[in-house]
Amino acid sequence: MIQAKDLSKSYGAIEALRSVSFDIAAGEIVGLLGPNGAGKTTIIKILTGYLQPDAGEVQVDGLDVLNQTRQVQERIGYLPETAPLYPELSVQAYLRLMAQLRQLREEVQVTYLADAIRATGLEKHLTRPIGQLSKGFRQRVGLAQAILHQPRLLILDEPTIGLDPTQIVEIRHLIKRLAETSTILFSTHILSEVEALCDRVIILINGQIRADARLKDLAATSDAVLVLDQAPDGVERTLGALEGVRQVIAGRTTDGFPSYQIKTNGDRVDLCPAIYETARHQSWPLRELRRDVRTLEAVFNELATAG
């Protein structure tokens, strides 16, 4: 659905993007994650044909964004960070206006409008002026205009910014429903949004892609966690002597049991069998043994502090 190759963009002396490349397949829901100023919005503006890169190529649904901009835009639904709404218009009047601007054929307008209204849960608010709606429902109206023409690709820029917790949950559920019929790319600097919505994340820092992987692959690690009922003498020393172990960090669980995080030297090997055999041989009172899992926050912080 999206093929971006070596995209670069500068604003004067500021490099917003530096040789950014990625592919997104049809049907995926992908989070574009990065701190403010990382280049997320610049990528979105390039994908939607609003901005031209200084270098690089980008295709959407097999079409060249730079040379076939109108055809690409017909296939894209876009919700910017600030939804393009007219507060004095009713929801119904606004969506009819958007349908006309999209040049939807008269014979399909009613069906498309009904589908968008139903998908975003706006049935009871059609006659209300947009300016009288809550922030959450204004976001719904913005999403309705973005999906009105039933796009193959839906691009959302910070779709939950400024919403309260209840509204955030509602918009998350809505995005998941929309993913059943559209490929979705959304940008955010909120880690929990990616964890709640995505199977895959592209992490952008200082205009460069630092990670592009499925969440389960990012979280994977060869480190292990051992929890015992009691702390026998010499546990750290014995674990540290195992082949492939780089460091052993002692601590306690929330229940007060002694725990040990066993870090490897980087080899993708499962230490759990060797740890289990050691615990059995030493007669340690084993309570739990598992592979460690990194959180997205830990991964992001590692990448951000790496420079």
Side-chain angles (χ1 to χ4, degrees):
M1 179 57 67
I2 299 176
Q3 292 179 305
K5 182 178 180 182
D6 296 328
L7 294 179
S8 296
K9 180 64 181 180
S10 295
Y11 301 100
I14 300 174
E15 281 188 295
L17 298 177
R18 290 182 282 174
S19 297
V20 168
S21 300
F22 61 90
D23 293 339
I24 295 177
E28 283 193 287
I29 176 167
V30 179
L32 186 59
L33 176 66
N36 292 328
K40 304 186 300 297
T41 299
T42 297
I43 287 179
I44 286 176
K45 288 181 177 179
I46 291 173
L47 290 176
T48 55
Y50 180 79
L51 191 68
Q52 287 199 344
D54 297 332
E57 304 172 359
V58 59
Q59 292 186 348
V60 170
D61 201 17
L63 300 174
D64 188 306
V65 174
L66 302 182
N67 298 316
Q68 298 170 286
T69 306
R70 287 296 297 273
Q71 296 96 313
V72 169
Q73 290 173 340
E74 290 173 358
R75 290 163 166 78
I76 293 177
Y78 176 41
L79 177 64
E81 184 175 343
T82 302
L85 305 176
Y86 296 94
E88 69 277 8
L89 292 181
S90 69
V91 172
Q92 181 172 275
Y94 171 76
L95 292 178
R96 283 189 176 278
L97 173 62
M98 292 298 105
Q100 293 167 4
L101 291 175
R102 281 285 182 184
Q103 298 181 338
L104 294 181
R105 302 188 314 275
E106 288 290 337
E107 59 268 27
V108 301
Q109 268 197 33
V110 172
T111 300
Y112 279 29
L113 280 165
D115 288 346
I117 290 166
R118 191 179 305 112
T120 51
L122 291 169
E123 296 95 331
K124 297 180 180 180
H125 303 274
L126 294 179
T127 59
R128 293 186 61 188
I130 293 174
Q132 294 181 9
L133 298 177
S134 67
K135 173 73 173 178
F137 273 99
R138 290 200 298 273
Q139 283 292 82
R140 287 172 180 259
V141 175
L143 279 169
Q145 67 80 25
I147 65 173
L148 186 57
H149 55 302
Q150 299 186 354
R152 290 176 52 79
L153 173 64
L154 185 59
I155 298 178
L156 311 174
D157 192 359
E158 303 282 3
T160 61
I161 196 74
L163 302 184
D164 65 37
T166 300
Q167 293 168 340
I168 288 174
V169 171
E170 292 173 350
I171 295 299
R172 283 178 183 172
H173 289 322
L174 176 55
I175 291 173
K176 285 183 177 180
R177 290 200 301 272
L178 295 175
E180 297 173 1
T181 56
S182 300
T183 302
I184 294 182
L185 172 68
F186 76 93
S187 78
T188 183
H189 63 278
I190 303 173
L191 299 174
S192 59
E193 291 302 293
V194 174
E195 291 178 318
L197 290 169
C198 299
D199 291 325
R200 177 183 165 201
V201 60
I202 297 173
I203 297 179
L204 192 71
I205 296 175
N206 294 329
Q208 293 181 304
I209 291 180
R210 295 296 179 84
D212 181 356
R214 296 196 170 276
L215 289 180
K216 64 179 182 180
D217 295 330
L218 275 180
T221 173
S222 54
D223 296 345
V225 173
L226 173 68
V227 180
L228 303 175
D229 275 328
Q230 302 171 9
D233 293 336
V235 173
E236 294 176 60
R237 182 177 64 255
T238 303
L239 291 173
L242 294 176
E243 183 177 356
V245 173
R246 173 172 57 86
Q247 184 183 15
V248 178
I249 302 174
R252 289 198 172 268
T253 67
T254 55
D255 296 329
F257 294 103
S259 66
Y260 305 88
Q261 184 181 26
I262 301 101
K263 291 185 170 293
T264 68
N265 55 20
D267 296 334
R268 288 287 178 176
V269 295
D270 186 0
L271 284 176
C272 289
I275 295 171
Y276 175 77
E277 286 300 322
T278 299
R280 187 175 66 85
H281 180 73
Q282 297 288 337
S283 298
W284 291 342
L286 182 63
R287 186 175 187 86
E288 180 183 359
L289 175 61
R290 58 177 170 81
R291 293 282 290 268
D292 198 10
V293 177
R294 297 187 301 173
T295 64
L296 181 58
E297 180 179 5
V299 174
F300 184 80
N301 287 336
E302 286 177 15
L303 296 172
T305 56

